[in-house]
């Protein structure tokens, strides 16, 4: 084993020394966060930058508890196919998806006290282990990654795997046992010493300087990938929570616009949210062009429904379906990241994010259109003005209603209209049932349409 490690390190040092006359150029990629679309974007950018500068080595500085298997597979594939040496420095943690990334590297150096393993696929909602078909795919992925490193000839003329595929499977499935290492009741996680003993680590180091020293690289310059503000912004807008909020604004803005005349603030909100939703996905290469076209078609259909087609019918429904389909498919492509690998968990995650956005939109619409909402929103959905006399409005005087049940005297003959005296006030009145002569006592029986009605008092 020591012989093969010596040969491996020598080859790396030879590659580095032969690639340039001056110091070796080492490109450092820090993966110290949850593995997801953002870390995959950083990896792609870093590998492109390393190619542009003709770097001699990629050093992946790992400290992660894992994340999305789909994006980890993208990173794994990119590292396996990179033409120059790739070294993983496990700085404390390479758990779950992080272990897959470490296994994809040509050389693994671990910090004393670090751990690597526990690659079981779990649900993103409650953390429970996924069904066996998911574990089967992950076992095969780990096994093929281990097999990629090939075999070597021992002093006893026996061919052995450099990274034993069975050990890789044991990191995924507790049912896999490795004689002398782990039984079939636990998922495998290596310490640094265990990884060194079983061939899953090639050395130990406490810093990048020690890593390169172990590899025999004495003269070098390092360049560390630093995400630009655009990269960070794209990572922010492609996070599930922000995507749910953008979906809320898209749906809420479209609904509020359909309730108002003309184009106004809700349209601006919906269009801005749509741009912030689709543009980052398109820039990264997640969302296909036809998805954006589908959303625009849906938006045009809704505008036709508002301004051209009377009522609400097939045009509006088709527009809503196109927009919903574009959003959901964009989410699914975000989850699968155009790998050609699709599973129902990606669909479920996408639908959960979409439904969360719809629920938030309903809550927002209810708030804006309720009596608790801001006045600028409520003015489109309810009557807020009152007709005040001081503003020139003339209302009906209801004060004579207080005389109902009182007794008065007819001032003039009621044939049937006339005047009566009630509690010292002379009022217009209408007799019911029969005419009433002047001087006759009357009873006020009702007040309707700004008019008092009376009957002869018994």
């Amino acid at each position: 084993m020591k012989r093969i490690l010596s040969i491996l390190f020598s080859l790396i040092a030879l590659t580095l020394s032969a690639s340039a006359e001056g110091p070796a150029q080492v490109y450092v990629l820090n993966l110290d966060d949850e593995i997801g679309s953002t870390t995959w974007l950083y990896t792609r950018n870093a590998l492109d930058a390393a190619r542009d500068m003709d770097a001699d080595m990629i050093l992946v500085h790992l400290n992660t508890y894992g994340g999305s298997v789909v994006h980890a597979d993208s990173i794994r594939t990119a590292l396996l196919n990179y033409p120059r040496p790739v070294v993983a420095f496990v700085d404390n943690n390479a758990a779950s998806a992080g272990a897959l990334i470490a296994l994809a590297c040509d050389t693994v150096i671990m910090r004393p006290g670090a751990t690597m393993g526990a690659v079981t696929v779990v649900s993103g909602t409650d953390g429970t282990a996924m069904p066996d078909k998911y574990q089967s795919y992950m076992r095969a992925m780990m096994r093929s990654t281990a097999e990629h490193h090939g075999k070597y000839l021992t002093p006893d003329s026996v061919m052995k795997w450099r990274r034993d595929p069975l050990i890789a499977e044991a990191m995924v499935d507790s049912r896999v046992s490795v004689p002398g290492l782990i039984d079939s009741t636990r998922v495998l996680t290596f310490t640094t010493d265990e990884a060194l003993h079983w061939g899953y680590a090639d050395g130990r180091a406490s810093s990048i300087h020690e890593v390169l020293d172990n590899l025999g690289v004495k003269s070098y310059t390092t360049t560390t990938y630093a995400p630009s503000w655009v990269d960070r912004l794209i990572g922010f807008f492609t996070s599930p929570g922000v995507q749910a909020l953008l979906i809320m604004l898209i749906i809420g803005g479209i609904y509020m616009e359909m309730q108002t005349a003309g184009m106004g603030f809700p349209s601006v909100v919906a269009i801005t949210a749509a741009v912030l939703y689709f543009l980052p996905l398109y820039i990264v290469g997640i969302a296909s062009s036809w998805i954006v076209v589908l959303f625009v078609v849906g938006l045009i259909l809704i505008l036709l429904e508002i301004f051209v087609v009377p009522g609400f019918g097939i045009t509006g429904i088709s527009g809503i379906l196109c927009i919903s389909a574009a959003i959901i498919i964009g989410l699914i492509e975000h989850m699968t990241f155009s790998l050609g690998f699709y599973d129902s968990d990606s669909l479920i995650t996408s639908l959960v994010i979409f439904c969360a956005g719809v629920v938030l939109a309903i809550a927002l619409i209810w708030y804006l259109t309720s009596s608790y909402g801001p006045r600028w929103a409520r003015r489109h959905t309810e009557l807020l003005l009152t007709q005040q006399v001081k503003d020139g409005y003339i209302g009906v005087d209801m004060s004579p209603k207080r005389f109902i049940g009182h007794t008065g005297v007819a001032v003039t003959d009621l044939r049937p209209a006339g005047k009566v005296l009630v509690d010292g006030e002379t009022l217009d009145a209408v007799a019911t049932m029969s005419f009433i002569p002047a001087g006759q006592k009357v009873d006020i029986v009702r007040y309707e349409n700004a008019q008092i009605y009376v009957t002869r008092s018994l």
Side-chain angles (χ1 to χ4, degrees):
M1 186 65 183
K2 291 182 179 179
R3 181 184 175 191
I4 188 64
L5 293 181
S6 176
I7 294 174
L8 177 66
F9 292 161
S10 299
L11 287 175
I12 293 177
L14 180 63
T15 302
L16 294 176
S17 63
S19 63
E21 296 179 358
Q25 298 185 54
V26 180
Y27 201 94
V28 180
L29 169 62
N30 292 317
L31 296 182
D32 54 2
D33 202 349
E34 182 178 354
I35 304 301
S37 60
T38 302
T39 49
W40 169 221
L41 172 65
Y42 293 172
T43 301
R44 285 175 51 183
N45 292 345
L47 295 182
D48 290 341
R51 286 190 184 95
D52 292 340
M53 67 177 293
D54 196 25
D56 301 305
M57 174 196 291
I58 296 290
L59 195 152
V60 183
H61 192 171
L62 270 173
N63 185 16
T64 178
Y65 288 102
S68 166
V69 174
V70 174
H71 298 102
D73 189 22
S74 295
I75 297 173
R76 173 195 82 109
T77 304
L79 296 179
L80 286 175
N81 295 325
Y82 194 75
R84 296 290 178 86
V86 180
V87 177
F89 174 34
V90 179
D91 192 358
N92 291 328
N93 299 295
S96 190
L100 175 63
I101 295 171
L103 184 57
C105 297
D106 301 310
T107 305
V108 178
I109 307 295
M110 297 179 67
R111 175 185 288 274
T115 54
M116 178 174 65
V119 196
T120 304
V121 183
V122 297
S123 170
T125 54
D126 56 9
T128 57
M130 297 295 289
D132 187 62
K133 73 172 185 176
Y134 299 94
Q135 311 304 338
S136 174
Y137 184 87
M138 194 65 196
R139 286 197 303 269
M141 190 187 303
M142 290 288 288
R143 185 171 63 249
S144 65
T145 306
E147 291 174 352
H148 175 83
H149 297 290
K151 295 182 177 181
Y152 68 95
L153 185 65
T154 67
D156 300 330
S157 299
V158 177
M159 295 298 295
K160 292 187 63 176
W161 289 107
R162 180 164 173 250
R163 307 276 194 244
D164 188 343
L166 186 63
I167 292 177
E169 288 193 56
M171 291 184 178
V172 179
D173 197 333
S174 61
R175 296 171 298 180
V176 177
S177 63
V178 179
L181 175 61
I182 194 169
D183 58 24
S184 59
T185 60
R186 296 173 296 159
V187 174
L188 177 61
T189 298
F190 274 136
T191 65
T192 299
D193 289 340
E194 290 170 340
L196 284 167
H197 177 75
W198 290 93
Y200 266 67
D202 305 300
R204 58 166 62 87
S206 299
S207 65
I208 291 177
H209 173 75
E210 289 186 19
V211 170
L212 297 174
D213 188 60
N214 285 349
L215 296 175
V217 183
K218 304 301 181 182
S219 177
Y220 60 87
T221 60
T222 60
T223 302
T224 302
Y225 172 73
S228 66
W229 66 269
V230 175
D231 295 331
R232 296 184 185 278
L233 202 60
I234 291 174
F236 173 76
F237 281 113
T238 54
S239 61
V242 174
Q243 285 184 319
L245 291 176
L246 292 175
I247 293 172
M248 173 195 74
L249 294 177
I250 293 171
I251 297 174
I254 291 175
Y255 174 84
M256 294 297 294
E257 188 59 49
M258 293 179 69
Q259 305 303 310
T260 61
M263 297 283 288
F265 181 70
S267 297
V268 175
V269 171
I271 293 173
T272 303
V275 170
L276 294 176
Y277 178 84
F278 285 105
L279 187 60
L281 298 179
Y282 184 77
I283 291 175
V284 177
I286 301 175
S288 305
S289 301
W290 70 269
I291 297 178
V292 179
V293 172
L294 181 63
F295 180 86
V296 173
V297 169
L299 198 59
I300 292 174
L301 289 174
I302 288 180
L303 291 177
L304 289 174
E305 184 73 30
I306 296 174
F307 296 107
V308 180
V309 182
F312 186 78
I314 188 66
T315 308
I317 295 174
S318 300
I320 292 173
L321 290 177
C322 287
I323 289 176
S324 300
I327 293 174
I328 293 174
I329 295 171
L331 284 170
I332 293 174
E333 287 206 359
H334 181 201
M335 293 301 113
T336 57
F337 216 71
S338 305
L339 289 177
F341 167 61
Y342 166 79
D343 60 21
S344 59
D345 197 36
S346 299
L347 176 61
I348 293 173
T349 303
S350 303
L351 291 177
V352 167
I353 295 174
F354 179 76
C355 291
V358 172
V359 171
L360 289 173
I362 293 173
L364 178 65
I365 292 169
W366 174 84
Y367 169 72
L368 292 178
T369 57
S370 70
S371 58
Y372 302 101
R375 188 180 181 87
W376 61 265
R378 289 188 291 124
R379 65 186 176 87
H380 299 293
T381 58
E382 64 179 276
L383 183 62
L384 299 176
L385 297 177
T386 57
Q387 297 176 338
Q388 302 291 337
V389 175
K390 65 180 181 179
D391 296 327
Y393 294 99
I394 299 175
V396 176
D397 184 12
M398 297 298 294
S399 60
K401 190 175 181 180
R402 70 182 187 278
F403 294 118
I404 296 176
H406 290 214
T407 300
V409 177
V411 177
T412 65
D413 292 339
L414 301 177
R415 300 175 179 272
K419 292 185 180 294
V420 296
L421 180 65
V422 183
D423 295 343
E425 290 189 33
T426 301
L427 305 171
D428 292 326
V430 176
T432 61
M433 298 180 65
S434 63
F435 295 152
I436 301 175
Q440 176 67 46
K441 288 186 176 182
V442 294
D443 294 328
I444 291 81
V445 292
R446 70 178 187 273
Y447 181 70
E448 293 179 359
N449 301 321
Q451 185 66 62
I452 286 178
Y453 291 86
V454 299
T455 59
R456 189 189 298 267
S457 184
L458 300 179

